[in-house]
């Protein structure tokens, strides 16, 4: 088994098939551009070449970047400790944002110029919608550059694992050194075991990052400015890479958030590192004191109950607990979906109108944009307008679903055991800094395959667990 794993880890050949395919794709774009030049259409030729070469170039960059990361990961799993530590994932995400923004702008600007110059004199003002593409590109570039400058103000902050690699069945820990500034208070860290896999095929292929386990702890300060952290890890969890129990692969991600004083500025500290983990019993050379561990646990519980109370309205009348998952709690996410859904839907309708006159590929584009936009638009409306009220009394729960204040339906069920109360992850979002936000709902198993949702849109598992504990106390006093 050891020899087989060693062979798999050393399989680090370049992805030649992908590189050759993208090279052919790029050459096809250049050839098509030259053909447009010969036909006296230099503008169309430049756009054609920019589109093919830009997309192929970005895909090549991502392919080589992924290969480089895979090589580094395999080397670490074999025990080759990086001298300069493990770099954070944040800078790569900002660079990707800049690359995507540049690609949108590179393709969108000439296309928009030609389309507007041709259609606007004819009174076709709907063509102005095409300006959204270069605007999105410029916006991505601006945001990526802003976040990259923020990252540079804080510095690299590499992570030095101890033990190396981390041990599923022992401990995962280590330290990072803050190059600039000082923390307002000790930051919080979270270690996650992620199951990364894909579903669907072709354009419908989706990458999932399911959390199998997560644990939080506070970061401690040690000598020489090293910020230490350590967590115990169950032996039942899989190691980094392939695992026969799961399709896809396993990743271990450590994230850390806090506030920094850097000169006259107060900066948000947000770093994520992908750590190598193997099965084992190794432990960290540094250990927090028992008093510190107890204090961290108390602080975590208080923070979890406070988070649950701030997200889900709670009131007690007699022996009944009332919960309200009010509408509009995730306004930013809902409005973002409404914006993008509206853009895609409008573009799809516009292309459909144009297709009735010109036909061809416009029909395909219209049938692609409109349904996707409509789905995003509907989901945004659902998030913006949904609300839920639930009441929990000894042995019984009731719930009432409403949309924009209009009551839709209500249900009730009898609950007699704690096992009937469950927490279910509903969605995971990742921002430009690679920070994951997990959303949960608290539901009751009513039997016969039916479930009643008691609270929804709960941000963070700790808050969901705290709310579950409060519901259990009201349900089974």
């Amino acid at each position: 088994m050891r020899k087989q794993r060693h062979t798999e880890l050393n399989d680090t050949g370049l992805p030649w098939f992908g590189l050759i395919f993208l090279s052919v794709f790029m050459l096809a774009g250049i050839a098509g551009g030259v053909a447009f030049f010969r036909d006296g259409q230099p503008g169309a030729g430049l756009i054609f070449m920019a589109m093919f070469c830009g997309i192929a170039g970005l895909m090549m960059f991502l392919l080589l970047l992924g290969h480089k990361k895979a090589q580094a990961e395999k080397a670490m799993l074999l025990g080759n400790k990086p001298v300069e530590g493990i770099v954070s994932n944040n800078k790569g995400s900002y660079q990707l944002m800049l690359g995507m923004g540049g690609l949108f702008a590179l393709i969108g600007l000439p296309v928009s110029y030609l389309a507007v110059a041709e259609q606007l004199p004819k009174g076709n003002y709907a063509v102005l919608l095409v300006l959204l593409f270069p605007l999105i590109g410029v916006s991505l570039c601006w945001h990526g550059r802003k976040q990259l400058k923020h990252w540079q103000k804080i510095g690299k902050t590499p992570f030095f694992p101890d033990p190396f690699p981390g041990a599923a069945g022992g401990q995962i820990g280590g330290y990072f050194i803050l190059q600039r500034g000082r923390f307002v208070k000790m930051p919080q860290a979270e270690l996650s075991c992620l199951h990364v896999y894909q579903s669907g095929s072709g354009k419908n292929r989706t990458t999932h990052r399911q959390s199998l386990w997560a644990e939080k702890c506070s970061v401690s300060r040690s000598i020489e400015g090293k910020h230490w952290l350590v967590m115990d890890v169950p032996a039942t969890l899989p190691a980094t890479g392939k695992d026969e129990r799961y399709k896809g692969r396993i990743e271990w991600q450590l994230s850390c958030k806090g506030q920094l004083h850097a000169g006259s500025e107060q900066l948000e500290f947000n770093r994520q590192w992908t750590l190598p983990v193997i099965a084992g019993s190794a432990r960290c050379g540094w250990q927090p004191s028992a008093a510190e561990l107890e204090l961290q646990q108390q602080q975590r519980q208080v923070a979890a109950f406070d988070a649950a109370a701030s997200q889900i309205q709670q009131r007690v009348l007699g022996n009944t607990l009332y919960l309200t998952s009010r509408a509009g709690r995730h306004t930013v996410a809902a409005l973002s979906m409404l914006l993008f859904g509206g853009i895609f839907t409008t573009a799809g309708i516009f292309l459909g109108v144009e297709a009735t006159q010109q036909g061809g590929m416009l029909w395909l584009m219209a049938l692609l944009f409109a349904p996707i936009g409509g789905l995003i638009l509907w989901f945004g409306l659902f998030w913006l307008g949904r609300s839920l009220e639930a009441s929990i009394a000894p042995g019984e729960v009731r719930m009432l679903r409403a949309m924009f204040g209009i009551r839709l339906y209500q249900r009730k069920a009898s609950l007699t055991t704690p096992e009937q109360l469950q927490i279910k992850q509903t969605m995971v979002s990742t921002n430009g800094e690679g920070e994951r936000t997990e959303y949960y709902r608290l539901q009751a198993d009513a039997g016969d395959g039916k479930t009643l949702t008691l609270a929804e849109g709960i941000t963070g598992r700790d808050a969901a667990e705290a709310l579950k504990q409060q519901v259990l106390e009201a349900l089974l006093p």
Side-chain angles (χ1 to χ4, degrees):
M1 179 66 72
R2 176 74 177 178
K3 184 176 180 181
Q4 180 181 357
R5 180 172 178 80
H6 182 84
T7 303
E8 291 175 357
L9 290 174
N10 278 283
D11 183 17
T12 57
L14 279 169
W16 290 112
F17 178 79
L19 292 173
I20 292 172
F21 175 80
L22 291 172
S23 298
V24 173
F25 188 81
M26 188 179 291
L27 290 173
I30 295 173
V34 171
F36 277 110
F37 273 103
R38 288 175 178 174
D39 292 339
Q41 303 179 58
L46 288 172
I47 293 172
F48 198 81
M49 283 193 289
M51 183 180 300
F52 274 71
C53 293
I55 293 174
L58 181 61
M59 294 299 293
M60 279 185 175
F61 170 76
L62 294 176
L63 203 61
L64 292 172
L65 182 63
H67 171 69
K68 182 180 178 181
K69 289 183 177 180
Q71 281 187 313
E73 178 185 276
K74 290 173 182 177
M76 288 189 290
L77 289 172
L78 288 171
N80 298 322
K81 191 172 184 178
V83 178
E84 297 182 354
I86 298 175
V87 298
S88 70
N89 302 328
N90 301 73
K91 187 177 181 180
S93 64
Y94 306 150
Q95 291 173 332
L96 177 59
M97 192 181 300
L98 285 169
M100 292 182 63
L103 184 61
F104 266 82
L106 182 66
I107 297 173
L109 285 172
V111 170
S112 300
Y113 173 77
L114 293 176
V116 171
E118 180 183 350
Q119 296 293 328
L120 202 59
K122 300 177 183 179
N124 187 4
Y125 296 104
V127 75
L128 293 174
L129 288 171
V130 77
L131 294 173
L132 289 170
F133 290 95
L135 287 175
I136 290 174
V138 172
S139 175
L140 285 173
C141 286
W142 177 82
H143 188 68
R145 177 58 182 162
K146 178 183 177 183
Q147 294 298 329
L148 188 58
K149 289 179 68 177
H150 180 87
W151 180 90
Q152 291 170 338
K153 288 181 180 180
I154 297 174
K156 294 182 179 180
T157 60
F159 188 80
F160 297 86
D162 181 7
F164 181 85
Q171 290 184 327
I172 295 177
Y175 68 90
F176 63 90
I177 298 175
L178 194 62
Q179 295 176 321
R180 299 184 183 93
R182 59 182 178 82
F183 286 112
V184 176
K185 63 178 182 179
M186 285 297 100
Q188 293 291 311
E190 181 174 17
L191 178 65
S192 302
C193 178
L194 304 176
H195 175 207
V196 184
Y197 64 97
Q198 293 182 328
S199 63
S201 60
K203 294 181 179 179
N204 296 321
R205 183 176 292 273
T206 304
T207 299
H208 303 271
R209 299 178 66 84
Q210 178 187 8
S211 178
L212 301 179
W213 176 87
E215 184 71 26
K216 291 184 178 180
C217 76
S218 295
V219 178
S220 301
R221 183 185 298 275
S222 185
I223 60 173
E224 299 177 356
K226 296 178 180 178
H227 293 78
W228 285 89
L229 59 96
V230 61
M231 281 172 267
D232 295 320
V233 180
T236 54
L237 293 172
T240 298
K242 299 286 186 179
D243 189 286
E244 61 182 10
R245 294 172 291 178
Y246 305 94
K247 64 178 182 179
R249 65 187 312 277
I250 301 298
E251 289 184 4
W252 286 82
Q253 180 174 291
L254 176 67
S255 61
C256 184
K257 293 182 63 178
Q259 294 291 326
L260 283 176
H261 279 312
S264 59
E265 289 185 284
Q266 183 163 311
L267 304 175
E268 181 179 352
F269 180 85
N270 190 351
R271 290 289 188 268
Q272 293 84 38
W273 302 271
T274 300
L275 305 182
V277 175
I278 60 174
S281 58
R283 297 181 65 80
C284 180
W286 171 88
Q287 296 291 331
S289 64
E292 186 175 358
L293 288 175
E294 184 178 356
L295 179 61
Q296 288 184 13
Q297 182 63 22
Q298 292 175 354
Q299 291 174 340
R300 180 176 170 181
Q301 289 179 348
V302 171
F305 280 101
D306 288 344
S310 66
Q311 296 180 53
I312 307 298
Q313 292 181 353
Q314 307 170 31
R315 58 191 179 94
V316 178
L317 293 177
N319 63 349
T320 303
L321 171 65
Y322 294 90
L323 304 177
T324 302
S325 304
R326 63 186 185 279
R329 286 178 295 128
H330 305 292
T331 307
V332 175
L335 291 179
S336 298
M337 284 185 255
L338 289 175
L339 174 62
F340 283 99
I343 291 172
F344 274 84
T345 303
T346 304
I349 294 173
F350 168 70
L351 291 170
V353 173
E354 291 295 311
T356 59
Q357 302 175 3
Q358 302 180 33
M361 290 295 293
L362 289 177
W363 280 115
L364 179 61
M365 295 177 68
L367 292 174
L368 179 65
F369 276 67
I372 293 176
L375 183 63
I376 298 174
L377 196 63
W378 177 86
F379 198 67
L381 285 171
F382 175 72
W383 262 58
L384 190 64
R386 67 174 184 172
S387 63
L388 181 72
E389 295 181 1
S391 62
I392 299 94
E396 184 182 74
V397 295
R398 297 173 181 265
M399 58 85 70
L400 172 65
R401 166 69 70 190
M403 181 65 68
F404 291 105
I406 302 173
R407 296 188 175 189
L408 301 180
Y409 60 87
Q410 58 184 0
R411 293 174 182 170
K412 66 177 181 178
S414 297
L415 300 185
T416 56
T417 63
E419 290 73 21
Q420 290 178 272
L421 206 58
Q422 304 164 350
I423 294 173
K424 183 175 178 61
Q425 186 182 99
T426 56
M427 194 175 76
V428 177
S429 65
T430 306
N431 63 13
E433 298 184 348
E435 180 187 355
R436 287 167 49 87
T437 302
E438 298 177 349
Y439 298 91
Y440 295 86
R441 72 166 175 253
L442 181 62
Q443 62 185 33
D445 182 5
D448 300 327
K450 297 180 180 179
T451 59
L452 275 70
T453 302
L454 304 180
E456 61 190 3
I458 309 169
T459 304
R461 188 172 187 89
D462 281 357
E465 292 284 0
L467 186 63
K468 178 183 177 181
Q469 182 62 37
Q470 289 174 292
V471 170
L472 280 174
E473 291 174 0
L475 187 66
L476 306 169

